[in-house]
């Protein structure tokens, strides 16, 4: 594993200061993406294709469900800045209709149909609260999303279960439980465990899309949210809160999941979750066989220059404000910019200089959500040497997370680390083919 990366001595030497130029170029940094002009542009230039395929952010979704909602939103002319209650409410009638039909199917013993329709309903509620619940209606959508998702997930051939993990290391101001999604495939042998850390906007009701495909290869999966998102109990403004959570999580796994091999755990963070999986690789290396940071930032994601521009780039909505909300600053973007790097940088805090478990860092070189410069900092130390136990892949010509090539790279790395029985090509194909949602009813 590895890829050619630029000489990062100058970037690494930047330490706690911003950099003014990025790999994506100044012109790209200041360009305004078409999807920020209106919801119609968002749908036509960015979302319609993934919705038709049933992939992020439309996991478990069907375009036949979304198109009438989209048409109504376009007819109203919704665009930035959105009234989030107005935006969210547009999805409710269709989501409710699907949930009602699912309930009827369940009562009639049509288990497969009910499962699908509950999950399709959850996809509508998800986009209603997307990118993060910041209004009363969006909070309602998040709660309804969980209800219908877990109803559907309970009807899968191998159910995905909602669990509450004890959090003995929590502060008095933090909830004492960690909500998560668990899938334990039947096996006579202790199972390897993949912990999936969700991102800024994809929560455990969405990233669970990976659980069933992975279960076919006798892999247990646990999906949980990162601080400041979903139902994470961690104080979003406390840089140490994820460390406390990880300590509680590994204690739970070793004592309460006897069918899991607690010495055979890999953690995989998606997008903003990659920041936390990279952190965990250095704070809890003895508990992990490996860690994957996919599209995660670590330092320059908090640059003022970057944050002042990302609201009009690759992300569907207002990325800088969504990040401020996630890190505990609500709508105070200026304060987040002022304090964010000094509080959360993995470089300035020395986290990256600590020993780590085996770590894979992957991103696209044209990422407009977190600068690819952060991959370079995660990979190379201040002397320009590749950090011990660290492997990397830069996917050229791709934006955030380096999709779709990055998924194959990561699955191959995981396959090699675990030494799975199935061949590597069989494993990659089996998992990736199971991701797109294909509605039947």
């Amino acid at each position: 594993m590895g890829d050619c990366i630029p000489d990062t001595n100058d970037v690494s030497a930047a330490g706690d200061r911003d950099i003014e130029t990025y790999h994506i170029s100044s012109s790209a940094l200041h360009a305004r993406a078409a999807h920020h002009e209106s919801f119609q542009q968002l749908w036509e230039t960015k979302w319609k294709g993934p919705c038709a395929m049933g992939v992020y952010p439309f996991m478990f979704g069907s375009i036949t469900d979304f198109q009438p909602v989209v048409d109504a939103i376009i007819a109203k002319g919704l665009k930035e800045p959105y009234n989030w209650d107005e935006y969210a409410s547009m999805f409710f009638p269709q989501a409710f209709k699907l949930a009602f039909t699912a309930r009827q199917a369940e009562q009639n013993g049509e288990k497969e149909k009910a499962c699908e329709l509950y999950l399709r309903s959850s996809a509508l509620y998800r986009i209603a609260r997307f990118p993060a619940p910041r209004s009363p209606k969006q909070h309602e959508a998040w709660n309804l999303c969980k209800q219908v998702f877990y109803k559907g997930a309970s009807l899968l051939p191998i159910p995905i279960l909602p669990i509450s993990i004890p959090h003995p290391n929590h502060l008095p101001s933090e909830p004492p439980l960690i909500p998560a999604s668990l899938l334990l495939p039947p096996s006579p042998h202790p199972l390897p465990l993949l912990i999936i850390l969700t991102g800024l906007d994809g929560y455990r009701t969405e990233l669970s899309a990976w659980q069933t495909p992975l279960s076919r290869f006798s892999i247990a999966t646990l999906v949980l949210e990162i601080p400041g998102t979903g139902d994470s109990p961690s104080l979003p403004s406390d840089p140490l809160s994820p460390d406390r959570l990880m300590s509680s999580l590994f204690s739970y796994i070793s004592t309460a999941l006897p069918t899991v091999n607690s010495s055979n755990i890999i953690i995989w963070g998606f997008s903003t979750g990659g920041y936390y999986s990279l952190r965990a690789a250095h704070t809890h290396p003895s508990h992990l066989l490996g860690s994957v940071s996919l599209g995660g930032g670590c330092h320059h994601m908090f640059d003022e220059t970057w944050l002042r521009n990302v609201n009009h780039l690759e992300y569907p909505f207002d990325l800088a404000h969504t990040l401020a909300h996630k890190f505990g600053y609500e709508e105070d973007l200026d304060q987040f910019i002022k304090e964010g790097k000094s509080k959360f940088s993995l470089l300035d805090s020395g986290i990256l200089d600590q020993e780590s478990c085996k770590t894979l860092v992957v991103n696209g070189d044209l990422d407009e959500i977190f600068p690819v410069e952060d991959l370079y900092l995660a990979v190379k130390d201040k002397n320009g040497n590749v950090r011990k136990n660290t492997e990397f892949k830069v996917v050229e010509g791709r934006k955030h997370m380096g999709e779709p090539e990055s998924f194959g790279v990561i699955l191959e790395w995981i396959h090699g680390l675990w030494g799975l029985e199935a061949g590597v090509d069989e494993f990659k194909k089996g998992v990736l083919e199971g991701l797109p949602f294909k509605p039947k009813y």
Side-chain angles (χ1 to χ4, degrees):
M1 188 68 61
D3 213 351
C4 181
I5 63 174
D7 182 350
T8 60
N9 288 334
D10 292 341
V11 173
S12 297
D16 61 359
R17 66 177 176 85
D18 291 358
I19 53 178
E20 295 300 322
T21 59
Y22 299 89
H23 177 76
I24 64 168
S25 81
S26 179
S27 59
L29 184 66
H30 294 95
R32 182 177 176 84
H35 61 262
H36 289 292
E37 298 299 327
S38 66
F39 187 87
Q40 181 175 5
Q41 285 293 309
L42 172 61
W43 178 252
E44 292 178 354
T45 67
K46 194 172 181 71
W47 270 8
K48 188 174 183 178
C51 186
M53 295 172 62
V55 297
Y56 172 85
F58 298 93
M59 298 87 142
F60 310 117
S62 168
I63 195 167
T64 58
D65 301 330
F66 277 92
Q67 193 64 61
V69 180
V70 169
D71 291 342
I73 293 176
I74 291 174
K76 290 192 76 170
L78 297 191
K79 61 182 180 179
E80 298 179 7
Y82 290 92
N83 176 312
W84 292 115
D85 270 353
E86 179 186 26
Y87 166 83
S89 66
M90 302 295 291
F91 296 87
F92 274 59
Q94 185 79 325
F96 178 83
K97 179 181 176 181
L98 284 168
F100 181 80
T101 308
R103 188 159 51 249
Q104 288 182 315
E106 186 179 13
Q107 292 170 350
N108 293 335
E110 300 173 276
K111 183 177 177 180
E112 183 184 58
K113 181 179 180 180
C115 174
E116 177 184 311
L117 295 181
Y118 278 131
L119 294 177
R120 283 165 57 182
S121 176
S122 78
L124 285 154
Y125 282 127
R126 170 189 325 127
I127 301 301
R129 63 93 187 139
F130 198 94
R134 288 183 286 186
S135 75
K137 206 68 177 176
Q138 285 192 303
H139 281 285
E140 183 183 354
W142 168 228
N143 288 325
L144 290 169
C145 177
K146 287 180 286 183
Q147 291 178 25
V148 292
F149 170 77
Y150 283 116
K151 283 184 178 181
S154 71
L155 300 174
L156 290 167
I158 305 177
I160 297 172
L161 304 174
I163 63 168
S164 296
I165 298 169
H167 187 9
N169 298 297
H170 74 97
L171 296 180
S173 56
E174 294 176 314
L177 297 172
I178 306 167
S181 293
L182 176 67
L183 194 156
L184 290 174
S187 173
H189 310 292
L191 296 162
L193 174 67
L194 181 65
I195 299 171
I196 294 176
L197 296 184
T198 63
L200 179 64
D201 52 56
Y203 297 169
R204 67 189 191 276
T205 47
E206 293 85 71
L207 272 293
S208 292
W210 287 84
Q211 292 186 272
T212 294
L214 287 162
S215 73
R216 295 170 186 150
F217 296 91
S218 296
I219 296 170
T221 47
L222 189 64
V223 184
L224 63 153
E225 287 130 4
I226 58 175
T229 71
D231 293 326
S232 172
S234 299
L235 283 176
S237 59
D238 181 358
L240 300 180
S241 68
D243 305 341
R244 295 191 296 271
L245 184 142
M246 284 295 158
S247 295
S248 294
L249 178 64
F250 291 125
S251 175
Y252 171 82
I253 292 169
S254 64
T255 58
L257 295 180
T259 60
V260 164
N261 182 346
S262 59
S263 64
N264 214 6
I265 300 172
I266 294 174
I267 193 167
W268 180 355
F270 286 70
S271 187
T272 315
Y275 166 91
Y276 291 97
S277 60
L278 186 61
R279 184 182 184 102
H282 293 270
T283 60
H284 292 76
S286 64
H287 295 278
L288 291 165
L289 181 66
S291 174
V292 178
S293 175
L294 173 58
C298 65
H299 178 76
H300 290 299
M301 63 183 282
F302 303 109
D303 283 355
E304 177 170 4
T305 301
W306 188 260
L307 291 171
R308 293 293 184 194
N309 286 279
V310 292
N311 274 355
H312 57 250
L313 299 183
E314 179 181 355
Y315 198 68
F317 296 109
D318 52 342
L319 175 59
H321 288 87
T322 308
L323 284 168
H325 183 272
K326 173 251 172 296
F327 280 101
Y329 288 85
E330 299 301 329
E331 296 300 317
D332 194 344
L333 177 59
D334 289 337
Q335 195 66 20
F336 173 55
I337 289 174
K338 181 180 179 182
E339 299 179 358
K341 182 179 285 187
S342 62
K343 288 181 68 174
F344 297 106
S345 168
L346 300 183
L347 180 71
D348 289 350
S349 65
I351 295 290
L352 291 178
D353 293 323
Q354 297 175 192
E355 289 292 322
S356 74
C357 63
K358 292 182 179 179
T359 302
L360 175 64
V361 187
V362 184
N363 204 358
D365 71 325
L366 302 181
D367 191 344
E368 294 178 0
I369 291 178
F370 298 134
V372 73
E373 280 74 13
D374 272 2
L375 178 147
Y376 307 151
L377 291 179
V379 167
K380 297 180 78 173
D381 64 22
K382 60 186 177 183
N383 297 316
N385 300 315
V386 174
R387 297 180 189 275
K388 183 181 178 182
N389 291 331
T390 302
E391 298 178 71
F392 61 94
K393 174 66 177 180
V394 179
V395 185
E396 294 185 359
R398 293 294 186 184
K399 292 190 176 184
H400 186 52
M401 301 206 304
E403 295 182 69
E405 292 87 351
S406 57
F407 290 146
V409 170
I410 291 166
L411 291 172
E412 184 171 343
W413 188 80
I414 288 173
H415 181 278
L417 211 54
W418 271 335
L420 298 175
E421 249 182 59
V424 63
D425 291 336
E426 178 189 353
F427 176 60
K428 289 194 294 184
K429 182 179 179 181
V431 173
L432 294 176
E433 286 185 346
L435 291 178
F437 186 72
K438 303 175 181 68
K440 180 178 178 181
Y441 297 93

